[in-house]
Amino acid sequence: MTGHRNLTALYPGSFDPVTLGHEDVAHRTLRVADRVVVAVAESAPETKQPAFTLQERLEMLREVFAGEDRIECVAFRGLLVDFARERGAEVVVRGLRAVSDFEYEFQMAQMNRELHPDLEFIFLTPGAELSFLSASLVREVARLGGDVSSFVSEPVFRRLTRRFQTS
Ligand code: PNS
């Protein structure tokens, strides 16, 4: 990014697992921010059990973004707004694939704004060829033995194969 803003954007999510769509959004974020902190959230107890542990999800993120020194991958527990404060992040990025994503994202952004009025949310759309992708569909296809190699990076593909071959 040009200028002297030195902007850090927080890109939070479950990343269960990280898909090519997530990777695309993170790389696009680097066009508008100096650094991206990809922040994998521990699942809320009331949500479904994730396919991968927090540690596994973090390891996959670190593997896929290994070559990018402006992308840092971390795990966080608790509220996103608290983590944003802790990291001094002013901007949160979320991917928006379709109108169907909008309602959930809008609701979360508004709630987060109530909790942290100085935090801004920006929404980036992935490449059109990735707009159908979701981690939950990737999990389902992998679980049922389908080929997900064109939806995730190699390290993620290997883990998915291992995970669902043995279960
Ligand atoms: O990839 P996801 O599952 O759509 O990501 C949702 C996520 C992790 C960004 C959201 O659940 C979150 O921010 N969790 C942290 C806890 C929190 O702050 N909850 C209140 C959200 S308004």
Side-chain angles (χ1 to χ4, degrees), residues 12-15 41 76 78-81 94 104-105 108 111-112:
S14 302
F15 304 111
F76 76 103
L79 285 176
L80 174 65
V81 289
R94 291 281 292 169
Y104 171 59
E105 294 300 332
M108 273 208 303
M111 173 56 89
N112 281 319

Side-chain angles (χ1 to χ4, degrees), residues 53-64:
T53 65
L54 185 63
Q55 186 58 33
E56 288 172 325
R57 288 179 277 143
L58 178 61
E59 282 168 12
M60 284 186 275
L61 284 167
R62 288 187 171 152
E63 284 163 5
V64 303

Side-chain angles (χ1 to χ4, degrees), residues 11-16 22 39-44 47 76-82 92 94 97 104-105 107-112 115 135:
Y11 178 29
S14 302
F15 304 111
D16 186 33
H22 295 128
V40 55
E42 186 179 47
S43 302
T47 62
F76 76 103
R77 294 189 160 87
L79 285 176
L80 174 65
V81 289
D82 290 339
V92 170
R94 291 281 292 169
R97 291 163 300 189
Y104 171 59
E105 294 300 332
Q107 204 179 4
M108 273 208 303
Q110 296 299 322
M111 173 56 89
N112 281 319
L115 300 171

Side-chain angles (χ1 to χ4, degrees), residues 33 39 52 64 71 138 142:
F52 294 97
V64 303
I71 299 182
V138 166

